[in-house]
């Protein structure tokens, strides 16, 4: 019994403490330190779907992304801005939500969609071409709303100027 008290019980208490601390690191909602922008996806038949997105436009904000976020409203998302168009790879490390990833060219056209990603996976998800933007929405959103490759993004910039698909 002395060995159990000396080693096992403290070990179990340490594990419980670590589990509690890990749970506290999970963010409940989207990060509030990123710019918020209205964004629309315009389908090929002219239907407009409106979202509110957090803009990840720095190395650190793109690196963190939606890691540890456990809740997101159906009309919310995160838009990653990579600046110059290039091939992009994403993953789901430390991301407990399943997402749709929309890979978007510099002119605002959706190149491809990776639907219903696997939470917490470290499998690389490739853009399939040069993109400037990646829009992450809750899994199933693109199918539910009929959003497809070839549709386009319209992002309102700070000050109201239109973004990637203005005039496209």
């Amino acid at each position: 019994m002395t060995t159990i008290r000396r080693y096992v019980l403290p070990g179990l208490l340490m594990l419980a403490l670590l589990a509690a601390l890990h749970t506290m690191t999970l963010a409940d909602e989207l990060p509030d330190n990123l710019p918020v922008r209205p964004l629309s996806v315009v389908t090929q038949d002219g239907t407009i779907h409106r979202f509110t997105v957090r803009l990840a436009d720095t190395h650190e904000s793109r690196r963190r992304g939606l890691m540890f976020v456990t809740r997101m409203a159906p009309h919310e998302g995160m838009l990653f801005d990579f600046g110059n168009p290039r091939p992009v790879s994403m993953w789901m490390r430390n991301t407990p939500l399943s997402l749709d990833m929309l890979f978007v060219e510099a002119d605002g056209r959706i190149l491809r969609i990776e639907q219903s990603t696997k939470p917490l996976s470290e499998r690389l998800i490739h853009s399939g071409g040069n993109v400037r933007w990646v829009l992450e929405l809750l899994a199933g959103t693109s199918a539910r709303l009929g959003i497809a490759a070839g549709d386009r993004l319209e992002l309102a910039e700070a000050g109201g100027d239109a973004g990637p698909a203005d005039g496209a």
Side-chain angles (χ1 to χ4, degrees):
M1 186 66 174
T2 305
T3 302
I4 290 175
R5 282 191 196 150
R6 178 176 274 171
Y7 298 107
V8 176
L9 290 178
L12 290 174
L13 288 173
M14 184 60 78
L15 284 174
L17 177 62
L18 287 173
L21 289 174
H22 176 71
T23 302
M24 290 171 28
T25 65
L26 293 177
D28 212 15
E29 298 175 350
L30 291 168
D32 59 5
N33 62 334
L34 298 178
V36 177
R37 300 283 187 271
L39 176 143
S40 298
V41 176
V42 182
T43 63
Q44 293 177 47
D45 68 3
T47 303
I48 299 172
H49 301 287
R50 290 182 170 78
F51 300 93
T52 301
V53 297
R54 303 287 178 176
L55 184 60
D57 60 355
T58 66
H59 175 74
E60 181 57 30
S61 62
R62 287 189 303 265
R63 186 193 66 75
R64 176 135 177 131
L66 292 173
M67 286 183 176
F68 309 108
V69 174
T70 58
R71 286 189 320 172
M72 190 165 66
H75 67 279
E76 292 180 318
M78 180 168 281
L79 183 67
F80 296 78
D81 181 355
F82 291 93
N84 297 318
R86 60 184 169 195
V88 169
S89 295
M90 308 286 283
W91 64 2
M92 296 292 293
R93 174 186 273 181
N94 297 323
T95 307
L97 293 174
S98 181
L99 303 169
D100 287 350
M101 291 183 184
L102 291 68
F103 294 91
V104 183
E105 297 171 306
D107 67 357
R109 300 270 172 207
I110 298 172
L111 176 65
R112 80 174 205 87
I113 300 173
E114 181 78 17
Q115 295 185 344
S116 300
T117 58
K118 182 180 178 185
L120 308 173
S121 172
E122 293 189 12
R123 178 182 70 86
L124 292 179
I125 302 165
H126 304 287
S127 60
N130 291 331
V131 297
R132 176 176 173 181
W133 314 83
V134 177
L135 174 60
E136 291 184 341
L137 303 170
L138 283 175
T141 299
S142 57
R144 180 174 50 83
L145 299 177
I147 297 170
D151 294 347
R152 62 187 169 88
L153 241 69
E154 293 181 350
L155 174 68
E157 301 287 346
D161 296 333
D166 184 39

